[in-house]
Amino acid sequence: RLPGLRSFTFNGNGAWDATVDAALYGLFDGSAAGAVVFSPDGGTTTYTLNCWIPQYDISTPADNYASWSVQLASTGDCVRA
């Protein structure tokens, strides 16, 4: 690893929603990276980065509601605020 060279990955999941699906699928198609703001503590600390989605899964079990899981991978630097 080279000094100063960083990469970031974040994982997330939730209940399936058409609006969330449209946003995630737009990054999953691989045509362009998108800006993402991630806050693990609900807004006090944020990470802002451009990313693409290498993995996006939708689960529709017969005995439960549809859900999604995603992995976000950075395309460059990440700003922590």
Side-chain angles (χ1 to χ4, degrees):
R1 183 167 170 220
L2 298 173
L5 183 61
R6 298 178 186 169
S7 65
F8 299 88
T9 58
F10 297 97
N11 297 307
N13 60 60
W16 189 90
D17 174 85
T19 302
V20 173
D21 179 65
L24 293 175
Y25 196 80
L27 296 176
F28 182 58
D29 75 2
S31 63
V36 172
V37 178
F38 172 74
S39 178
D41 60 8
T44 303
T45 304
T46 59
Y47 298 88
T48 303
L49 63 153
N50 286 324
C51 69
W52 60 283
I53 295 178
Q55 184 173 346
Y56 178 48
D57 298 310
I58 298 172
S59 175
T60 55
D63 63 345
N64 208 340
Y65 295 105
S67 62
W68 56 268
S69 64
V70 68
Q71 180 184 64
L72 305 170
S74 68
T75 61
D77 203 9
C78 178
V79 177
R80 182 181 184 273

